[in-house]
Amino acid sequence: MPAPTAAIRRGQEKSSPMLATFVIGLREGLEAALIVGIIAAFLHQDGNAAALRRMWLGVGLAVALCLGIGVTLSVLSGSLPQRQQEMVEASIGFVAVAMVTWMVLWMRNHSKDLKRDLGAAVGGALASGSALALVGMAFLAVIREGIETAVFLVAAAQTGSAASTLIGAALGVAIAVTLGYLIYRGGVRLNLSRFFRITGVVLVLVAGGVLMSAVQHAYEAGWITIGRTVWLDFSGFIAPGSVQESLLTGVLGIRAQLTAIDLLAWLLYVLPMLVVVCWPPRRPLRRPVVARLLLGAGAVTGAAAVTLALVVAPPSGPATAGFTLTGAAKGDVQITVDRVAGSSATLTLRGTVRTADGEFPVDRTAAVELAGAQAVAGRSGQHYTGTAVGLAAPGATTLSAAQVAELNGGRYPIGLRSATGDLTATRTLTWTPSLVLDVRTAAPLTVGGTVVNGVIAETAAGRTFRVDAGGGPIGSDPASTDAAAAAAATIAADRQRSELWGVVVPWVLGVWAVLVLAAGMVLVLRRPATGRREDVSVATTSTAPTTSTAPTTSTVPTTSTVPTTSAAPATSTAPATSTVPPTTTASTTSPVPASTEGASA
């Protein structure tokens, strides 16, 4: 089944993405609210009202800039011609997926210590007296999260109504701001690591739907020309206006009809990302292990792509079908479609055509032009018509002038009456072909046209007369038409399998392998910080306290290391008990002071 057209696809996609945009607004808004809240709290405690006012001014400016970027992208994508509009929408979709992916991975490794790290950075800035740096930090935090949100919302609005997109995002941001305020007022305690992990799962699923929409826009823009055969059809389950459509299409971007490249893109993106996001935080993987896993996966995937591309046979050659003619002419002909380019096609006609005047062998090439659409035997087709093709019967016969006039309807051609003797005649047949080609495979579904019988008579003196001897329309019988339709279906299935496993899957796997290998090489070449354990996953939480609560007894004797003349060594009568960490030195008092003489010695 071919992929739906752009108009049909847009009609299918117009659902409610409110929940998806609510999650992105909540997540992005809470991250920005946490950063701004920490900075505002430090500035308030420091009594720097001027810097606090400048911070809120910067936050407002960042919000205005993000709104302007979103409006500009939306207007730009809607004011261009169709193909350029599809290019912009595809680009926005791919950028949105990349930004969401980076955000999810970054928060995966930093959510646990986000508040502590921000507090340390803000405290250091205040200690150095650089309050303006805090204003810039708040501005950059808001504009970063705002741009990510704006790009994602523009991508989501392409697959749903603008009103539901904005309402969902506004609700998410409002709740995020409220939570951020309550957290830093002490009224709410939120496990940020768990919160960002759960919302990360939702965002990965939503980003998978945005990726499929971006792939479709790339196809409409002409960037992707393979893998557009519908692979899964959920039309009976995802009905327009149903709850299933709201959840699957509105939230996850899964439509009623999914093509091969849509499914491959979704699986290769969503499954690895879910593994990363859902990996247990208490079981992190070391950087070398992750690098080896990525390089191994990339190598295996690349080898599979190359193997499939070399082993799977390419799509079959020109489509051919045989027909039995009926009507003004009989016979059996075979039609081979040599080339289809735009609205024109080139055919090869082979076989035999029989009329009352004789048998005419056919071995000619004909050019045909598109005339319109026509369905044949339940398959969508395109009707083509061509120019006349002249055929001649083998051998020659002898006709008198009267017989030639009889073939011409009883009328003597000009100059024939004066001819003497018999004429050498050749029977001819002029065929103006028409046929219907299958939309998907360009295989012939039916053939027909009109034929005109004729005679070319030549006198002994070399004078030639041409007369028409009747004719009429011809066509293919129902049995051969049904057989041609079945053959077209078989060709379509063979080409679909060949294209899928020999072109689409190797192409997608190859791109995925390159990305995975690049990520692995980045981890290999990146040098870890000195003295720091490099874990790619979220850092483990130590279950042992950092400060000992049990009293420690000093094992260092209090005997002076300076030699003395005293007979009794300066030995402490009781061990000193310390309640501070072992690195703190506890002072002791000797009951026998050291001799001055010994000290001077």
Side-chain angles (χ1 to χ4, degrees):
M1 181 184 298
T5 61
I8 296 176
R9 176 178 52 79
R10 291 180 181 276
Q12 292 175 343
E13 288 179 346
K14 290 302 179 182
S15 55
S16 175
M18 182 181 295
L19 181 58
T21 55
F22 170 81
V23 173
I24 191 71
L26 176 63
R27 183 186 172 98
E28 297 286 329
L30 183 59
E31 186 177 345
L34 292 176
I35 298 173
V36 173
I38 291 175
I39 296 173
F42 273 87
L43 290 177
H44 180 73
Q45 292 174 3
D46 193 55
N48 197 335
L52 187 60
R53 286 193 298 270
R54 286 194 289 269
M55 186 208 73
W56 289 119
L57 180 62
V59 169
L61 179 60
V63 171
L65 287 176
C66 294
L67 290 175
I69 291 174
V71 172
T72 301
L73 290 176
S74 180
V75 172
L76 179 63
S77 63
S79 60
L80 295 173
Q82 179 66 32
R83 187 168 183 270
Q84 285 73 15
Q85 182 178 344
E86 298 290 351
M87 291 180 180
V88 172
E89 291 178 354
S91 301
I92 292 174
F94 288 129
V95 171
V97 172
M99 296 178 76
V100 169
T101 303
W102 178 87
M103 174 189 66
V104 169
L105 295 178
W106 186 90
M107 194 57 67
R108 165 71 177 163
N109 293 323
H110 295 84
S111 59
K112 174 179 174 292
D113 301 321
L114 180 63
K115 182 179 178 181
R116 185 192 64 189
D117 295 342
L118 286 173
V122 172
L126 281 177
S128 62
S130 56
L132 288 179
L134 299 183
V135 176
M137 186 186 301
F139 172 82
L140 293 177
V142 174
I143 199 169
R144 186 192 70 180
E145 307 301 333
I147 290 177
E148 291 177 358
T149 304
V151 173
F152 192 90
L153 292 183
V154 171
Q158 298 168 5
T159 61
S161 64
S164 61
T165 299
L166 295 177
I167 291 174
L171 289 175
V173 172
I175 294 177
V177 172
T178 303
L179 283 176
Y181 176 78
L182 293 177
I183 288 172
Y184 288 98
R185 294 292 295 179
V188 173
R189 296 184 63 83
L190 185 64
N191 187 326
L192 294 180
S193 177
R194 180 175 299 175
F195 169 81
F196 285 114
R197 187 163 62 250
I198 294 173
T199 56
V201 171
V202 177
L203 283 183
V204 167
L205 297 175
V206 172
V210 174
L211 178 61
M212 286 194 296
S213 297
V215 169
Q216 292 177 2
H217 290 304
Y219 170 74
E220 298 293 344
W223 293 350
I224 298 176
T225 58
I226 57 176
R228 298 309 303 166
T229 301
V230 174
W231 214 11
L232 291 179
D233 192 342
F234 300 117
S235 300
F237 178 70
I238 307 178
S242 63
V243 176
Q244 298 92 314
E245 186 197 32
S246 299
L247 292 177
L248 296 177
T249 305
V251 178
L252 304 181
I254 299 176
R255 297 166 314 282
Q257 292 181 336
L258 297 179
T259 64
I261 198 168
D262 291 339
L263 284 175
L264 287 173
W266 192 89
L267 292 173
L268 291 178
Y269 173 79
V270 170
L271 294 184
M273 286 295 298
L274 286 180
V275 172
V276 173
V277 174
C278 297
W279 191 267
R282 296 182 181 276
R283 298 180 61 185
L285 295 177
R286 299 291 299 268
R287 184 179 299 277
V289 176
V290 177
R292 287 195 294 269
L293 288 175
L294 290 175
L295 292 177
V300 171
T301 306
V306 174
T307 302
L308 286 174
L310 295 177
V311 171
V312 177
S316 56
T320 301
F323 299 93
T324 299
L325 300 179
T326 61
K330 312 297 182 183
D332 298 292
V333 294
Q334 186 180 61
I335 309 296
T336 300
V337 181
D338 298 320
R339 184 180 64 90
V340 177
S343 60
S344 62
T346 303
L347 316 172
T348 298
L349 312 175
R350 292 187 177 92
T352 302
V353 178
R354 295 183 298 273
T355 68
D357 295 332
E359 189 174 272
F360 301 87
V362 181
D363 189 2
R364 299 292 299 273
T365 298
V368 292
E369 295 291 331
L370 180 63
Q374 181 178 339
V376 175
R379 298 189 64 85
S380 299
Q382 292 180 317
H383 181 212
Y384 289 81
T385 58
T387 56
V389 175
L391 307 176
T397 60
T398 301
L399 297 175
S400 65
Q403 289 175 318
V404 173
E406 183 181 355
L407 292 174
N408 197 35
R411 299 184 303 273
Y412 280 83
I414 298 176
L416 181 60
R417 288 181 181 275
S418 59
T420 59
D422 292 335
L423 292 81
T424 303
T426 303
R427 301 283 184 173
T428 64
L429 183 70
T430 302
W431 181 14
T432 303
S434 69
L435 75 163
V436 177
L437 302 182
D438 184 64
V439 169
R440 292 178 56 191
T441 64
L445 297 177
T446 185
V447 67
T450 58
V451 293
V452 177
N453 294 302
V455 173
I456 299 177
E458 183 178 359
T459 65
R463 189 172 180 180
T464 302
F465 299 92
R466 181 184 183 90
V467 297
D468 293 332
I474 62 173
S476 55
D477 69 343
S480 60
T481 299
D482 293 340
T490 302
I491 293 173
D494 292 341
R495 288 187 178 181
Q496 178 180 342
R497 286 191 295 267
S498 179
E499 182 186 68
L500 176 63
W501 296 107
V503 180
V504 178
V505 173
W507 185 83
V508 176
L509 290 181
V511 172
W512 193 83
V514 170
L515 295 177
V516 172
L517 289 174
M521 290 303 300
V522 168
L523 293 180
V524 170
L525 298 177
R526 181 180 176 183
R527 295 183 178 180
T530 305
R532 178 183 175 185
R533 174 173 173 166
E534 288 295 317
D535 292 333
V536 176
S537 182
V538 179
T540 56
T541 304
S542 176
T543 57
T546 56
T547 305
S548 175
T549 58
T552 58
T553 302
S554 174
T555 60
V556 182
T558 57
T559 304
S560 172
T561 59
V562 182
T564 64
T565 60
S566 174
T571 306
S572 174
T573 59
T577 302
S578 175
T579 60
V580 296
T583 55
T584 305
T585 304
S587 62
T588 60
T589 305
S590 175
V592 182
S595 170
T596 305
E597 182 180 358
S600 60

